[in-house]
Every structure is written in C-alpha cells, then in structure tokens.
Amino acid sequence: ILRYQPGAGMKGAMAMEIIPKSRYPGDPQGQAFSGGVKAGYVVKSINGEDALTADFGKIMDLLDDEVADPRFSKSTALAIEKQGRMAEPAATPITVVYTEIPGYQGKFAALTQDGQDGYAR
C-alpha cells in the first residue's frame, strides 16, 4: 500500500493507493494486492487489536509505515525524534485485517507502471 488516509477526526486508516500486482512471490509491495485488498478498504485490526477507531498515527506506527523515499527519511527521523511514536511497531509477523465500508463509493487514482519509479498516478 503506497498511501493511507485517515478517517474523520484522524481516526482509522483507509488504503488509498495499492500496487496493482505482485511482481514475484513474497513481493512486499504486492502483498495487499495478493491478499485481495482494494482501495477504500479500512484497517480493521492489527495482530487482533481493533484499529477501526484508533488514532491514525498509532496505526501507522503499529504498521511501521514511514515514507520510504530517501529524500524524506531525515525529516521522518527528525519528526519521530521530536514528536515520538504513538506505538511501537507491531510484533512480526503482522496480521492486518482489512474491511469494506458498506455503500462507500470513493474515487481512487488508478496506478500505472512507471519505468523509473515503479508506479504513479
């Protein structure tokens, strides 16, 4: 999953952009796709802990989801140092359960393969 979005009041996390294929068995960027997760699904639980109403920052910390782009790694490290974490990363292997919101019809960007960066909107 390339991008999550918080829900109302910064609670919960919705998958917004998902790599649309798995390049090889065990591909870390293709796990959500291989597991059937689609844009618009929300994180229901992480390792059995309810996440539907959890703080968005806590969910990202549990997933250890930080910007992977090296241009942002210093700013991410400084933010973590200054603000701290809301939670330590969940114990591995992580079990994340996603669910649909009945009747939700979002408009999600279709990702297309980009020869240089992988995938783009």
Side-chain angles (χ1 to χ4, degrees), residues 1-4 29 56-57 59-70 72-81 84-89:
I1 297 174
L2 293 179
R3 185 171 72 90
Y4 287 95
Q29 291 189 345
F56 179 74
I59 294 168
M60 294 299 101
D61 285 347
L62 286 168
L63 295 175
D64 202 20
D65 195 290
E66 298 172 1
V67 177
D69 189 322
F72 300 108
S73 56
K74 182 66 174 178
S75 62
T76 300
L78 289 172
I80 290 171
E81 183 179 312
R85 290 180 165 271
M86 295 181 81
E88 289 302 313

Side-chain angles (χ1 to χ4, degrees), residues 44-109:
K44 182 176 181 180
S45 65
I46 301 169
N47 284 354
E49 180 181 335
D50 180 61
L52 289 172
T53 58
D55 287 318
F56 179 74
K58 179 180 179 181
I59 294 168
M60 294 299 101
D61 285 347
L62 286 168
L63 295 175
D64 202 20
D65 195 290
E66 298 172 1
V67 177
D69 189 322
R71 295 173 296 169
F72 300 108
S73 56
K74 182 66 174 178
S75 62
T76 300
L78 289 172
I80 290 171
E81 183 179 312
K82 183 177 178 182
Q83 299 169 6
R85 290 180 165 271
M86 295 181 81
E88 289 302 313
T92 56
I94 297 175
T95 300
V96 182
V97 176
Y98 292 86
T99 190
E100 295 179 73
I101 300 173
Y104 183 80
Q105 297 293 319
K107 292 185 179 180
F108 304 101

